[in-house]
Amino acid sequence: MSRPVIGIAGYRDQARWNIWDTDATVVQQSYVRGITANGGRAVVLPPDDLDADVLHRLDGLLLTSGADIDPVHYGQEPHPASDTPRPDRDHGELLLLRTALDLDLPVLGVCRGLQLLALVYGGTLHQHLPDVVGHTGHCPREGEFGHHEVRLTAHSRAAAVYGPLAVTNSHHHQAVADPGRLTVTGRTDDGVVEAAEDPAKRFVLGVQWHPEVSGDDELFAAFVAACAK
């Protein structure tokens, strides 16, 4: 039986290797490992806003972490702490996500990926979380992870993977404010949305933490299994 083929949304950035220092399409190897180590075949998808026809050849879509989403997509002006907009990535990933949902492909969103899900489902974001919760615990400083507990809703897809409580890593200064039509299934004690899903779909789950960094094979295994069906 062939492995399910799962698209990982990549992005453009300056990358350096061997003798090269150049514009490249990149994705962290930890996402590829999460897919391949749990029985899937990973395919990196460069930013492309012309069409999403590639999804007809894939069994699932993984949306990764990274730069802030341009607040124009949810009707707000940029916060001073927001990243420089990355329109190629925003438009390409939103097109992929909307099409994947129309096709009922399994979707896993990580950090930024959860936030994209919220926007497509009609929600909005907090642009700078310390303004809301009054601390920097969700991103102590650039390159350093915070850690906290996430309480998960019984009988949710997230709880089926982790149980009622997950101890997670954290590196984000933005978060879901309004989940739109998504069902919130995980929060920290300070109320921040950490997991949300669409129970009407085969598999649509977003998490605000970084399972690719912690080597969280239970989540990747559940996603790959859904893609294999």
Side-chain angles (χ1 to χ4, degrees), residues 1 4 14 16 21 26 40 43-44 50 66 71 78 118 121 127 138 150-151 155-156 164 197 203 227 229:
M1 185 176 178
Q14 195 74 12
R16 183 176 181 180
D21 186 351
V26 298
V43 176
V44 177
L50 296 181
Y121 276 82
Q127 287 196 54
H138 292 270
V150 176
R151 301 186 186 280
H155 310 299
S156 65
E197 53 198 76
F203 187 108
C227 296
K229 292 181 180 178

Side-chain angles (χ1 to χ4, degrees), residues 5-184:
V5 181
I6 299 169
I8 304 177
Y11 53 95
R12 288 180 60 186
D13 213 335
Q14 195 74 12
R16 183 176 181 180
W17 72 98
N18 198 354
I19 64 171
W20 307 106
D21 186 351
T22 186
D23 185 25
T25 295
V26 298
V27 68
Q28 294 98 315
Q29 178 62 23
S30 53
Y31 289 108
V32 177
R33 190 219 68 86
I35 296 300
T36 57
N38 290 286
R41 178 69 163 93
V43 176
V44 177
L45 305 177
D48 184 339
D49 63 358
L50 296 181
D51 61 60
D53 290 355
V54 67
L55 292 176
H56 292 281
R57 306 183 184 190
L58 300 178
D59 301 305
L61 176 65
L62 171 57
L63 297 169
T64 66
S65 59
D68 298 338
I69 303 162
D70 190 338
V72 71
H73 294 292
Y74 48 101
Q76 295 182 15
E77 294 295 321
H79 188 282
S82 294
D83 293 341
T84 301
R86 302 290 294 271
D88 61 332
R89 186 174 185 187
D90 290 349
H91 291 300
E93 290 184 357
L94 286 167
L95 178 59
L96 285 172
L97 177 53
R98 290 185 174 110
T99 305
L101 294 172
D102 288 343
L103 296 173
D104 199 14
L105 283 180
V107 176
L108 175 61
V110 173
C111 195
R112 169 190 163 94
L114 166 61
Q115 296 167 14
L116 283 168
L117 276 166
L119 300 191
V120 168
Y121 276 82
T124 60
L125 305 181
H126 294 303
Q127 287 196 54
H128 193 54
L129 204 49
D131 294 346
V132 179
V133 297
H135 62 80
T136 60
H138 292 270
C139 185
R141 59 181 57 85
E142 186 173 343
E144 179 180 328
F145 285 90
H147 294 85
H148 50 59
E149 294 180 342
V150 176
R151 301 186 186 280
L152 299 167
T153 303
H155 310 299
S156 65
R157 190 174 294 280
V161 174
Y162 292 98
L165 188 70
V167 179
T168 67
N169 52 16
S170 175
H171 191 278
H172 60 102
H173 82 108
Q174 299 196 331
V176 174
D178 174 4
R181 300 180 305 280
L182 280 178
T183 300
V184 174

